[in-house]
Amino acid sequence: MNTNPGPYNLHVIESCFGCVMREEGVFCHLPHAALSHLNSLRQTALYPRGAVLFVEGESPRGLFILCSGQAKLTANSRDGQSITLRLVERGEVLGLSSVISNSPYLASAETLKPSQVSFIPRLPFLQFLRASPDVALSVAKHLSMELHKAWEKTSLLALAPSTPAKVAHFLLAWAAEHGQKTVEGVHVPLNLTHEEIARSIGSSRESVSRILGDFRQRRLIRVNGGSVIILEPHGLHSVMTGSPAG
Amino acid sequence: MNTNPGPYNLHVIESCFGCVMREEGVFCHLPHAALSHLNSLRQTALYPRGAVLFVEGESPRGLFILCSGQAKLTANSRDGQSITLRLVERGEVLGLSSVISNSPYLASAETLKPSQVSFIPRLPFLQFLRASPDVALSVAKHLSMELHKAWEKTSLLALAPSTPAKVAHFLLAWAAEHGQKTVEGVHVPLNLTHEEIARSIGSSRESVSRILGDFRQRRLIRVNGGSVIILEPHGLHSVMTGSPAG
DNA sequence: TAGGTCCTGTGACGACGGTCACAAATACCC
DNA sequence: GGGTATTTGTGACCGTCGTCACAGGACCTA
């Protein structure tokens, strides 16, 4: 792992920014003028799998936009444990809150796949924000939604009656965001190791493995290479709420 | 508990708003003009202990500022469990994120003491924000810090090696915010029941009771009516990190 | 002082799940 | 293709902590 890696392959991918920005993410509904201003601030580079974009505690150089690929935000405890706070998909933004509050990154960002990442330096971005109140508002809105997700995760971790409940919640939440309905069930691309899942819900690899095995045996899910098919959403849901199993 | 209680004693406390706003909280560093505009939007009322300001799931009517007293934000699971997401002190704001993102309140707010609370309706507030970009920015900044706290709590819940570690963390965090150093140690006003603490860290009343008893026996803390004196911050810290005890 | 209600302290018990250990399976790379 | 690294599946063990149960305290009201 490389603390301050720099672009591995610095060639600008012109199409990336405009496309991602208009479809999804914080800046999606900005007027064209604002978008092209933002566009002029960014630098885009291609990072390999496992690249570290920034490290917990570092003071915020700027924000990152994931144009393609996948990344994760992880917080570490002193004894080497870590939890995955957020999985970041195409079009999402990293480091925004630290840039806004000018406080150290509170998590480390690492790519999970080769990823095209745009970088916008802090000061130009803040200047841009000061000049455009509606962008500031949409940033605030985005942060609010982030906050809601964080609180949801907190309640989950504290309130979930059991580890199976956490796994069920994780699968359902993931399906809600990235799943596609088919005849046999909800098809969820889930290219994460059991280890990653465990870290995301604050459990252990072995438990996740056992629990997924159990779900499979009870025909709640089916695993297919890098993806999971949820056969019985209701079943998972009742596991999640701790009700006496359906 | 009263879902939509309305002011119990609707008399405006003129001094409250100006004083609280200037000292602490989101709006503390606003120019005078902005403050007096906000001031004109607010309605202030006195609520008794146990009053419910808003309920999880309700669509956001507006935001609340706690001028005096104390309140808590709690999230509930379907089976009656609840976790205290945040304890709200004088000068702090409630419901801001829901107002900004126009999504349902994701937690319920309840006073823990008789409290003076100012209310600002949603639409006028949003209008005010749109008109004043630096206020929008300071709101974004505030939300960022909220987000950091929420993530910290998440990592705590997931990474803490044990329940004693969570309790230690809770005490230290509380001390950092509200403690006062004296000769014998850090003096922390902590008028919370063990039940409240347990809910705040996702544990049980009995465990908290036992753990505090243990801390007391090991001379890490001393309890004095409604307040705790931390005698050995380092000791607590090593409990928190799970190191082999100092 | 008597009678509530709420909070605290403690004992006993049991299971959930984390840890260790190892084997099988799969993916990755020259 | 073979060789290595990573990921997954499972068994055994046992400590932690949540649950149940009850007794003693603190505090308020009458």
Side-chain angles (χ1 to χ4, degrees):
Chain A
M1 291 220 287
N2 194 335
T3 294
N4 192 9
Y8 286 76
N9 182 354
L10 203 147
H11 63 108
V12 176
I13 296 96
E14 285 304 333
S15 67
C16 143
F17 201 80
C19 126
V20 164
M21 299 302 256
R22 237 165 284 140
E23 284 172 27
E24 43 213 313
V26 211
F27 305 117
C28 53
H29 294 118
L30 295 188
H32 194 73
L35 263 185
S36 65
H37 187 174
L38 262 187
N39 202 32
S40 72
L41 298 178
R42 83 161 192 322
Q43 306 154 11
T44 303
L46 182 60
Y47 291 83
R49 178 171 187 272
V52 175
L53 300 178
F54 52 81
V55 175
E56 187 174 352
E58 193 184 347
S59 79
R61 304 187 303 268
L63 61 87
F64 297 82
I65 301 167
L66 199 70
C67 301
S68 75
Q70 193 183 35
K72 64 173 179 178
L73 275 176
T74 56
N76 303 295
S77 66
R78 35 273 122 194
D79 56 329
Q81 290 272 60
S82 76
I83 181 181
T84 301
L85 290 171
R86 187 154 78 90
L87 287 158
V88 185
E89 299 287 318
R90 173 174 178 279
E92 294 189 60
V93 166
L94 289 146
L96 178 59
S97 70
S98 293
V99 164
I100 296 285
S101 65
N102 196 22
S103 53
Y105 292 121
L106 56 16
S108 305
E110 185 184 333
T111 55
L112 292 172
K113 297 183 196 172
S115 305
Q116 285 169 0
V117 180
S118 279
F119 173 76
I120 300 181
R122 196 173 73 85
L123 285 178
F125 180 69
L126 288 179
Q127 248 169 350
F128 169 63
L129 274 196
R130 261 188 288 274
S132 33
D134 29 324
V135 180
L137 251 190
S138 77
V139 164
K141 200 165 179 174
H142 181 257
L143 288 171
S144 297
M145 296 188 311
E146 286 284 309
L147 185 56
H148 279 217
K149 281 188 204 160
W151 270 348
E152 255 176 36
K153 186 152 198 165
T154 304
S155 349
L156 164 70
L157 285 173
L159 294 177
S162 64
T163 308
K166 293 183 189 177
V167 175
H169 178 106
F170 178 86
L171 287 176
L172 289 173
W174 195 256
E177 270 196 274
H178 311 286
Q180 277 192 329
K181 279 197 181 174
T182 68
V183 270
E184 51 180 357
V186 186
H187 199 273
V188 190
L190 185 63
N191 42 11
L192 293 169
T193 68
H194 293 182
E195 177 86 42
E196 294 282 356
I197 297 175
R199 290 197 160 161
S200 169
I201 62 175
S203 176
S204 71
R205 201 218 91 219
E206 294 91 330
S207 292
V208 170
S209 189
R210 270 187 258 268
I211 289 163
L212 286 180
D214 180 53
F215 286 175
R216 225 180 316 151
Q217 207 167 4
R218 290 160 64 186
R219 311 271 164 203
L220 298 176
I221 64 172
R222 197 162 70 218
V223 180
N224 228 350
S227 66
V228 171
I229 299 155
I230 298 182
L231 305 171
E232 293 286 348
H234 304 92
L236 276 189
H237 200 272
S238 63
V239 168
M240 186 178 87
T241 56
S243 50
Chain B
M1 291 220 288
N2 195 337
T3 296
N4 192 7
Y8 285 73
N9 183 354
L10 201 146
H11 64 108
V12 175
I13 296 95
E14 287 303 335
S15 67
C16 144
F17 200 82
C19 125
V20 164
M21 300 301 252
R22 238 165 283 140
E23 283 172 30
E24 43 213 316
V26 209
F27 305 117
C28 54
H29 294 118
L30 295 187
H32 195 73
L35 262 184
S36 65
H37 187 175
L38 262 187
N39 203 30
S40 72
L41 298 177
R42 84 165 193 318
Q43 306 154 10
T44 303
L46 183 61
Y47 291 83
R49 180 171 186 273
V52 175
L53 299 177
F54 53 81
V55 175
E56 188 175 351
E58 195 183 346
S59 79
R61 304 188 304 269
L63 62 88
F64 297 81
I65 301 165
L66 198 71
C67 301
S68 75
Q70 193 182 34
K72 65 171 177 179
L73 274 176
T74 57
N76 304 292
S77 65
R78 36 273 122 198
D79 57 328
Q81 291 272 61
S82 75
I83 180 180
T84 301
L85 290 171
R86 188 155 77 90
L87 287 157
V88 185
E89 299 288 317
R90 173 174 179 278
E92 293 188 61
V93 166
L94 289 146
L96 178 59
S97 70
S98 293
V99 164
I100 296 284
S101 65
N102 196 23
S103 55
Y105 292 121
L106 56 13
S108 304
E110 185 184 334
T111 55
L112 292 172
K113 297 184 196 172
S115 305
Q116 286 170 359
V117 180
S118 280
F119 173 76
I120 300 181
R122 194 172 73 86
L123 285 178
F125 179 70
L126 288 180
Q127 249 169 348
F128 169 64
L129 273 196
R130 260 187 288 273
S132 31
D134 30 325
V135 180
L137 252 190
S138 76
V139 164
K141 198 164 180 175
H142 182 256
L143 288 171
S144 296
M145 296 189 311
E146 287 283 308
L147 186 56
H148 280 218
K149 282 188 203 161
W151 270 349
E152 256 178 34
K153 186 152 198 164
T154 304
S155 350
L156 164 70
L157 285 173
L159 293 177
S162 64
T163 308
K166 294 183 190 180
V167 176
H169 178 107
F170 179 86
L171 288 176
L172 290 173
W174 195 256
E177 270 196 273
H178 309 287
Q180 278 192 328
K181 280 198 180 173
T182 69
V183 270
E184 50 180 358
V186 186
H187 200 272
V188 189
L190 185 63
N191 42 12
L192 293 169
T193 68
H194 292 182
E195 178 85 41
E196 294 282 357
I197 296 175
R199 289 196 162 164
S200 170
I201 62 173
S203 176
S204 71
R205 201 217 91 222
E206 294 91 329
S207 292
V208 170
S209 191
R210 271 187 256 268
I211 289 162
L212 287 180
D214 180 52
F215 287 175
R216 224 181 317 149
Q217 207 167 3
R218 289 161 65 186
R219 312 271 163 203
L220 298 176
I221 64 171
R222 197 160 72 218
V223 180
N224 228 351
S227 65
V228 171
I229 298 155
I230 297 182
L231 304 172
E232 294 286 347
H234 303 93
L236 276 189
H237 201 272
S238 63
V239 168
M240 186 176 89
T241 56
S243 50

